[in-house]
Amino acid sequence: MTAAQARRRFLVLIALRWLPVGLMIPVIVLLPLERGLTLAQYGSAAALQGITVLLLELPTGGLSDALGRRPVLLLAGAVDIAALTLLTVADSVALFVVFYVLQGVYRALDSGPLEAWYVDHALAADDQADIETGLSRSGAVLGIAIAAGALLTGGLVALGPIGPVTALSLPVYVALTLQIVSMVAVATLMTEERRGRGLAALAASVRGVPAAVGGALRLLRRSRVIVALVAVEVFWGFGMITFESLTPVRLADVLGDPTEASALMGPVGSAAWLASAAGAALVPLLARRIGAPWTGFTLRILQGLTVVGMAVFAGPVGVVAAFLICYTVHGAASPVHNGLLHRQVDGPYRASLLSLNSMISQPAGALGLVVLTAVAAHVSLVAALLLGAAVLAAAAPLYLVGRRATPETVAAGPQEVVPAP
């Protein structure tokens, strides 16, 4: 498989993976309420997903490194199919608890293997392969797939109900069907050489999980570049609360009407994902001009400024414009960050390192949610947004730690790339 072929398959699989997510986003809160849960019961059940991801993120990354990318993604797809099947009938707190725990298992299994598979194959075919462009295109495809799914849900809800299936339940059935298609695509398109198969190979892979996790942790201890990149995730996870959770509150504040703000967030949310896709598609132009580390630095500063705009603009047009620019920067920043991270490891622990990076964002986001909502409640919403903006921008210098580790400057001096132990 050539690097170009690997990239094409990667992008197809990314689209199929995120389209069901886009379908679920508009109804994931409303459906439990329709089924009889209170908002507090929904929140308690949904929180279990994040806790499950936090507990399993690193072990499942190790499983991907030990067992293989393809079987772990197939297992993830099977878990999600079970979760969505349960969601078609869930009508109690207990069933929604099980659903969210299964979703947490799915997200933990799904985090990292596909991207690691693409980078492994692209670099195996060409050790100078432009993986950053592939990662940026995947960000664009991801944003478009989520936006398309969200828009499709709007049409499905307008069509429903159909027989015994309520309007809010209809997108769940479509998402379930698409997840089955995605699982078939993984089985068909992902080719992978594995050392062994069967129960003995599975047992050996499970025994290898601690070694894979330990390998990722050793990479973290031995490389100041990796430490800096993972630290960025801490600031980023904390600051993301400003635009992921506080934007509807800010719109309600400037509009003076929570209902109007809620209605506006639907189309604005879809536009935000398209803006994210545009940012991911355009960022290689900037990265090629000033290098990936300086691009990461610039984007962190710019994202902080967009959140400042959300805080200080007095009208809905200004807030929405700042929000859309913020999501454009957000979409551009992800492939730059992940590309820098991938360049730091050449060995069997790639998925474990990605899982470690992703895992860090979970407690950081939880801390941001607690701190920023407390500041909004006891000081002001504007103060909370400004604090989040400062935290986002504070991560910018950390990208410059890795400025000598980019492929463009290999000839200028030694890289701080950590070989596999």
Side-chain angles (χ1 to χ4, degrees):
M1 189 186 306
T2 65
Q5 289 172 328
R7 184 168 64 194
R8 284 194 294 270
R9 295 188 183 194
F10 174 53
L11 296 179
V12 170
L13 292 172
I14 283 286
L16 291 174
R17 185 258 181 267
W18 288 100
L19 186 58
V21 174
L23 279 159
M24 294 301 302
I25 286 176
V27 299
I28 197 62
V29 177
L30 298 176
L31 186 61
L33 302 182
E34 182 187 62
R35 302 273 180 87
L37 272 66
T38 67
L39 190 57
Q41 289 171 332
Y42 157 76
S44 299
L48 293 173
Q49 175 177 308
I51 294 171
T52 304
V53 172
L54 178 61
L55 294 174
L56 296 181
E57 182 78 74
L58 199 50
T60 53
L63 182 63
S64 173
D65 285 329
L67 180 61
R69 322 300 190 199
R70 183 172 178 269
V72 170
L73 275 184
L74 289 174
L75 177 59
V79 171
D80 194 42
I81 288 170
L84 292 173
T85 301
L86 176 62
L87 187 58
T88 62
V89 297
D91 59 359
S92 67
V93 174
L95 289 178
F96 274 98
V97 164
V98 175
F99 165 73
Y100 278 109
V101 169
L102 288 174
Q103 280 287 288
V105 174
Y106 162 63
R107 293 295 176 88
L109 288 166
D110 180 77
S111 175
L114 180 55
E115 190 172 298
W117 173 86
Y118 160 65
V119 174
D120 286 342
H121 280 70
L123 294 180
D126 177 6
D127 59 6
Q128 298 299 317
D130 182 10
I131 60 170
E132 286 79 9
T133 295
L135 294 174
S136 70
R137 289 182 182 177
S138 75
V141 169
L142 182 153
I144 293 170
I146 291 180
L151 292 174
L152 179 57
T153 288
L156 291 171
V157 171
L159 286 175
I162 298 178
V165 180
T166 67
L168 293 181
S169 298
L170 189 56
V172 179
Y173 287 90
V174 178
L176 174 59
T177 302
L178 288 173
Q179 183 56 256
I180 294 172
V181 173
S182 177
M183 190 173 175
V184 172
V186 167
T188 305
L189 297 179
M190 286 187 74
T191 57
E192 188 174 46
E193 292 184 11
R194 293 167 56 193
R195 290 185 295 272
R197 299 176 186 274
L199 292 177
L202 176 60
S205 296
V206 171
R207 289 194 299 270
V209 169
V213 172
L217 293 175
R218 285 194 296 274
L219 291 175
L220 182 65
R221 288 197 303 268
R222 291 166 52 186
S223 171
R224 64 188 179 93
V225 177
I226 293 177
V227 169
L229 291 172
V230 172
V232 168
E233 197 72 23
V234 175
F235 289 88
W236 201 350
F238 184 102
M240 276 196 292
I241 300 302
T242 55
F243 54 90
E244 286 194 339
S245 300
L246 298 183
T247 300
V249 185
R250 178 59 177 155
L251 272 178
D253 188 37
V254 298
L255 288 169
D257 184 355
T259 302
E260 187 178 350
S262 178
L264 184 60
M265 276 306 298
V268 167
S270 293
W273 282 108
L274 291 175
S276 174
L282 294 174
V283 75
L285 300 176
L286 180 61
R288 281 194 289 268
R289 180 172 294 273
I290 65 175
W294 279 107
T295 300
F297 176 93
T298 303
L299 293 174
R300 289 274 64 79
I301 297 292
L302 183 56
Q303 189 163 44
L305 291 174
T306 63
V307 175
V308 170
M310 289 171 54
V312 301
F313 289 139
V317 173
V319 173
V320 169
F323 174 69
L324 293 179
I325 297 172
C326 181
Y327 254 86
T328 303
V329 175
H330 186 63
S334 292
V336 173
H337 181 85
N338 288 350
L340 285 167
L341 198 63
H342 280 297
R343 293 292 183 184
Q344 304 311 308
V345 56
D346 180 17
Y349 305 128
R350 192 182 304 281
S352 296
L353 186 59
L354 289 177
S355 292
L356 177 64
N357 180 75
S358 177
M359 183 184 72
I360 290 296
S361 67
Q362 299 291 329
L367 179 62
L369 190 60
V370 171
V371 172
L372 294 178
T373 54
V375 171
H378 295 97
V379 184
S380 71
L381 178 60
V382 169
L385 290 170
L386 292 176
L387 174 59
V391 171
L392 285 168
L398 293 169
Y399 278 115
L400 302 185
V401 174
R403 62 189 180 276
R404 293 183 180 179
T406 57
E408 293 86 359
T409 59
V410 170
Q415 297 187 77
E416 202 168 307
V417 174
V418 181

